[in-house]
Amino acid sequence: MVKPTVETVTITRLGHLGDGIAETETGTVFVPFTLPGERVEIERTGDRGRLLKLLETSPARTAPTCKHFGACGGCALQHMKPEAYLAWKREQLRVPLAQRGVEASVDPVVPVATGSRRRAVFAARRVGKQAVFGYHARHSHRIVAIEECPILRPEIANVLPGLAKLAGPLTPFKGEVRIGVTATDTGLDVAFEGPRPRPPALAPLAAPLLQQLGIARLSIAGEPVMTFAEPTVAVDGMQIALPPLAFLQAAASAETVMGRLVSDAVAGAGRIADLYAGIGTFALRLARQARVLAVEGDGAALDALADAARRARGVKPMETLKRDLARMPMSAGELSAFDAVVFDPPRAGADAQAREIAAANVAKVVAVSCNPATLARDLKTLVDGGYRVDRITPVDQFLYSPHIEAVAELSRDT
């Protein structure tokens, strides 16, 4: 076991996870919650350092907005002034592109406001007779109990004590549960995942408590157990009924920006393929201007999209196709029937699918991604296939985290 030592180091840069990095005679050390140019005293264990004291402070430093910052692992960069923070976020996209040899200018980051995140995942675990509810500490399985979270929409942030109370009887005596909470147009959609509680645990959850918290639906292990109103969200004025645990963009304001970027990029296309369509974040918007094929592997999400499209007014006919694009990507031949392709894969990216798009005769392609590394890889595949990157716009919907969303617009001469 490595014995901790107390050292003084100078931070030279930030790593891709937001940790400060210092180069020492005995190797690189990563120090969370520090900034370039700062001289700090740390407790060092191997290549990790715990901040003990700021000796010289960066002019980019600011006071964090949350009292849990530094203990809770949810945010990495609340201590950084907005200008420097957004510049660093832009670099998180620019650097992997340059490393892959993708020549593209990156627009300034589109920011989001505090109090705008509409979904969060909490954790709960029993410690003695009590259940601790909150976020994990940084690089740890320990759960930090939280009383506030300024990045969340008020519908969630204002009922954190009530959610902790709710978690008590639903947290088993062994194991940890994950609690997904989404703010929808009709109330909170709350879903517990993990070890299933015994049926008697539901007894204390009287309907008045759930309604007091503004909960529209409570689900356990993917199955609704109490529903007071169907959770719905609006996409460009069209209502979608959310399946339990459905993926949703983290901030509605960011989704609106991304939807506009995608729609504008494929303006004039008569037929569009929307791959990894989910519940229809882009497909429904695109259906206002073109015929759309929405392809998605999650059957529940696809059913919700199809239902919303049937009920929507002012949209063109939409087709849906259930397909696991990681296992069976749309072929170049299939895609060549479209004027434009939009794809928004999970963090792992769309390696196989990007190769098929690169071989297709499609004039416009839009790639949406929350992972700069896999986006850079997929864009490199498309560029090597004859596409050019016309524009990349980063959108900071993951406030104070090291993550960044991006919309990349590509074209080719057909």
Side-chain angles (χ1 to χ4, degrees), residues 236 238 259-272 282-292 314-317 339-340 342:
D236 199 24
M238 293 168 274
R260 175 180 52 79
L261 289 167
V262 170
S263 296
D264 290 350
V266 298
R271 192 150 188 244
I272 302 171
F282 303 119
L284 288 170
R285 287 179 168 88
L286 295 172
R288 292 201 185 277
Q289 66 192 53
R291 294 177 64 91
V292 175
V315 299
K316 297 182 183 297
D339 303 308
V342 175

Side-chain angles (χ1 to χ4, degrees), residues 51-63:
L51 177 64
L52 298 177
K53 185 184 298 184
L54 282 168
L55 304 176
E56 295 179 14
T57 303
S58 166
R61 178 172 286 275
T62 189

Side-chain angles (χ1 to χ4, degrees), residues 59-104:
R61 178 172 286 275
T62 189
T65 60
C66 178
K67 69 180 182 181
H68 300 298
F69 181 69
C72 161
C75 292
L77 294 157
Q78 283 190 21
H79 60 304
M80 200 173 189
K81 288 182 178 177
E83 299 83 0
Y85 164 76
L86 291 175
W88 180 80
K89 280 271 180 124
R90 184 172 177 268
E91 285 297 288
Q92 301 318 291
L93 188 55
R94 192 194 64 77
V95 169
L97 292 170
Q99 291 172 338
R100 288 279 182 174
V102 177
E103 295 183 4

Side-chain angles (χ1 to χ4, degrees), residues 235 240 255 274 277-286 294 301 304-305 318:
V235 171
I240 302 175
E255 180 185 285
D274 181 16
I279 61 170
T281 298
F282 303 119
L284 288 170
R285 287 179 168 88
L286 295 172
L305 166 56
M318 182 187 297

Side-chain angles (χ1 to χ4, degrees), residues 166-407:
L166 173 67
L170 295 180
T171 300
F173 288 99
K174 292 185 178 180
E176 178 180 300
V177 292
R178 297 173 73 248
I179 303 116
V181 182
T182 302
T184 78
D185 294 342
T186 52
L188 299 182
D189 190 19
V190 179
F192 280 71
E193 298 178 85
R196 196 178 181 93
R198 292 174 297 175
L202 293 175
L205 303 179
L209 170 62
L210 299 179
Q211 292 176 310
Q212 179 185 349
L213 297 178
I215 293 176
R217 178 175 62 195
L218 173 66
S219 302
I220 297 176
E223 295 295 329
V225 294
M226 291 187 184
T227 302
F228 302 100
E230 185 174 52
T232 64
V233 294
V235 171
D236 199 24
M238 293 168 274
Q239 290 294 321
I240 302 175
L242 289 181
L245 305 176
F247 173 79
L248 192 65
Q249 297 293 343
S253 58
E255 180 185 285
T256 298
V257 170
M258 293 156 57
R260 175 180 52 79
L261 289 167
V262 170
S263 296
D264 290 350
V266 298
R271 192 150 188 244
I272 302 171
D274 181 16
L275 311 182
Y276 310 91
I279 61 170
T281 298
F282 303 119
L284 288 170
R285 287 179 168 88
L286 295 172
R288 292 201 185 277
Q289 66 192 53
R291 294 177 64 91
V292 175
L293 171 66
V295 186
E296 169 59 44
D298 183 330
L302 199 65
D303 288 344
L305 166 56
D307 179 65
R310 282 192 295 268
R311 291 184 287 104
R313 295 183 177 183
V315 299
K316 297 182 183 297
M318 182 187 297
E319 299 175 68
T320 59
L321 174 63
K322 185 176 185 297
R323 189 152 161 181
D324 183 344
L325 293 170
R327 295 177 178 270
M328 189 188 304
M330 295 282 287
S331 70
E334 291 173 299
L335 294 172
S336 292
F338 296 90
D339 303 308
V341 171
V342 175
F343 68 104
D344 181 14
R347 287 189 60 79
D351 191 15
Q353 185 61 79
R355 291 196 295 270
E356 294 296 331
I357 297 172
N361 190 31
V362 179
K364 292 281 188 179
V365 172
V366 183
V368 182
S369 174
C370 62
N371 186 338
T374 56
L375 175 63
R377 180 201 64 201
D378 294 343
L379 292 185
K380 175 63 173 174
T381 298
L382 295 171
V383 169
D384 288 347
Y387 283 91
R388 57 182 172 271
V389 181
D390 299 320
R391 183 184 184 189
I392 301 180
T393 306
V395 181
D396 185 30
Q397 70 167 327
F398 308 107
L399 190 62
Y400 299 135
S401 83
H403 305 299
I404 186 75
E405 193 88 30
V407 178

